[in-house]
Amino acid sequence: MGRFVNTENKVVVSVADHKDKRFASPLWEAYTGSDSAPAAEGYEALTVPKLKAEIERRNADRDEADRVSSEGRKPDLVAALEADDKAGGGIVPTGH
């Protein structure tokens, strides 16, 4: 059974091997991590627009004081997401 992560909303799904080919698109990537948010190397692989989209997703239901900063260059965005993960804000749903 293969696992894939949606590059836009970070949802992880498990797929029967005979259906793996359905997930051959830029929207899906093979998932090799744990059931939590992508590790630092995962964020490094994302583009700036995808990093900002992840930050926007996380900030959607947060108070102004609790929001993840979307300012700065790529290293700043990666650091902000990593700090949010350590604080417990980047939990990714699985098994949908």
Side-chain angles (χ1 to χ4, degrees), residues 43-52 74:
Y43 293 130
E44 289 292 337
L46 296 177
T47 63
V48 169
K50 287 184 179 182
L51 291 168
K52 288 188 175 188
K74 184 173 182 173

Side-chain angles (χ1 to χ4, degrees), residues 65-81:
D66 296 328
R67 291 185 177 204
V68 179
S69 175
S70 62
E71 299 296 318
R73 299 172 64 108
K74 184 173 182 173
D76 302 316
L77 302 176
V78 170
L81 287 167

Side-chain angles (χ1 to χ4, degrees), residues 2-72:
R3 295 186 78 191
F4 295 87
V5 61
N6 183 294
T7 59
E8 291 182 2
N9 62 21
K10 305 300 179 225
V11 171
V12 177
V13 296
S14 296
V15 180
D17 290 335
H18 69 280
K19 295 182 180 180
D20 280 359
K21 291 178 186 167
R22 295 181 186 179
F23 289 84
S25 78
L27 186 61
W28 295 95
E29 295 176 350
Y31 183 74
T32 58
S34 65
D35 288 340
S36 62
E41 59 270 11
Y43 293 130
E44 289 292 337
L46 296 177
T47 63
V48 169
K50 287 184 179 182
L51 291 168
K52 288 188 175 188
E54 173 62 11
I55 291 171
E56 184 178 319
R57 182 191 68 79
R58 292 184 189 196
N59 286 341
D61 296 325
R62 293 185 179 187
D63 295 330
E64 187 69 33
D66 296 328
R67 291 185 177 204
V68 179
S69 175
S70 62
E71 299 296 318

